[in-house]
Amino acid sequence: MAGASPPPPPALSRQLSSVEKDALKTALEKVKSVQKRVLAEGLTPVTFFVGMTNIVVSSYLFGHSPEHFWLVYCCQALLTQIFRLVDGMKHMSYLYLLDFCWICNLFFSIKGTLLLLDAISPEYLHSGSGRSSTFGLAAFMIACGPLGCSVIAFSNAMVLHSIQHYTAVFIHLFPPLTLWTLRWHAEDVDRAWPGVFSAYRLQEVGWLEVVTPACTAYFVWWFAFTGWMLVHGRHQHKDTTGLDTVYHYTMRSNKVLANLLGLRDLKDAPKAKFVLRYMFAHAVAVNLSFANALGCYFSKVYHSFFCILILAVALWFGSVKYNKIMTRHYVKSLEALINDRDQSAKAD
């Protein structure tokens, strides 16, 4: 009969033996350990509600009021960096914030905050002091180049309850979306915020003039960061100092890249030659990504496609993550428990 509820599961016709009870208790403890790990990542009704509300509000402003979307980025960027710093202090991963993506978002958020203060401060409004379109060009190329492409390269997941996952996807996904509104809704932005962005207005210039500011900004960071890595950063490892860097994390998690760099044993990761190889590979990848940013700069259609693509990627990997949380984590934990029991029985 349509709409009828499924029959209840059959009741046990006998009492469980002590062995069966022990096995079920062990399985229950295993499931509870998985639940505890998920809760430790931050999955609670409150965090999920806040995450969903954030996505709904951000999506509404992006579609209905794109001229105000930059405020969403500024507010979230500052909070994101504070939360990530606190989380990094807790997990000894605060050195991640020295990476190029984090440094760029720090500068973007500071500049956005200053622009907001400029908008509400009559004594500074329209002053134009120290402004030029160079910053706008650099911000656009970095946002639609290395930041946006990192969503795909690192399989960023839109996981709403996790600080680590959400901050990672935010610093890579939101800058290209924000620059899309500033680039292709410039008139709406100027009407809503007169004079604030006019000095940074993106000009119709040649590709070399578009790329140069971003390349200059990148290599300023590259030389500073590479020097720090060679002198100090390469020695910051979980097994030695308890700290971690993006370099060591990447070498541990990306075996393909480690092999391409010639690193066969992770104990050799602190050696200067592998650090230099990594930094040169980083420079090549970033500068290649600027080609993608050029397509976004000169074509609204391409920029729109790119934003849709990276958003879809983040949502897809977020869905995969939630699927693991809701189903596969528990199945895998119980399968591992059964395998351990089988191996113990064979050993006996």
Side-chain angles (χ1 to χ4, degrees), residues 4-12:
S5 59
L12 290 174

Side-chain angles (χ1 to χ4, degrees), residues 235-299:
H235 303 296
Q236 306 309 306
H237 192 275
K238 281 188 172 183
D239 296 334
T240 54
T241 63
L243 296 174
D244 200 11
T245 62
V246 171
Y247 165 71
H248 283 294
Y249 171 78
T250 304
M251 293 301 97
R252 291 195 309 270
S253 60
N254 193 330
K255 301 300 182 183
V256 174
L257 178 59
N259 288 331
L260 288 175
L261 298 180
L263 180 63
R264 301 292 182 262
D265 189 344
L266 289 177
K267 294 180 180 178
D268 295 330
K271 291 184 178 180
K273 64 178 181 179
F274 294 116
V275 173
L276 287 174
R277 290 176 188 176
Y278 170 82
M279 292 307 302
F280 280 118
H282 191 282
V284 171
V286 167
N287 282 275
L288 286 176
S289 71
F290 288 144
N292 180 77
L294 281 173
C296 294
Y297 187 86
F298 290 109
S299 172

Side-chain angles (χ1 to χ4, degrees), residues 339-348:
N339 289 334
D340 290 341
R341 288 295 182 90
D342 290 343
Q343 292 176 3
S344 298
K346 290 178 181 180
D348 295 338

Side-chain angles (χ1 to χ4, degrees), residues 79-95:
L79 292 174
T80 294
Q81 289 170 87
I82 293 173
F83 289 150
R84 188 64 182 86
L85 176 60
V86 173
D87 185 74
M89 296 291 288
K90 179 181 177 181
H91 295 96
M92 304 298 287
S93 60
Y94 55 86
L95 293 178

Side-chain angles (χ1 to χ4, degrees), residues 103-159:
I103 293 296
C104 289
N105 275 269
L106 176 62
F107 276 96
F108 292 167
S109 60
I110 292 174
K111 191 64 178 179
T113 302
L114 293 176
L115 288 173
L116 178 59
L117 294 176
D118 191 32
I120 61 179
S121 303
E123 62 270 25
Y124 295 114
L125 189 61
H126 305 303
S127 63
S129 58
R131 296 180 174 187
S132 78
S133 60
T134 301
F135 179 83
L137 291 171
F140 187 96
M141 294 298 291
I142 291 171
C144 297
L147 297 189
C149 291
S150 292
V151 175
I152 301 172
F154 299 121
S155 303
N156 287 158
M158 183 70 77
V159 180

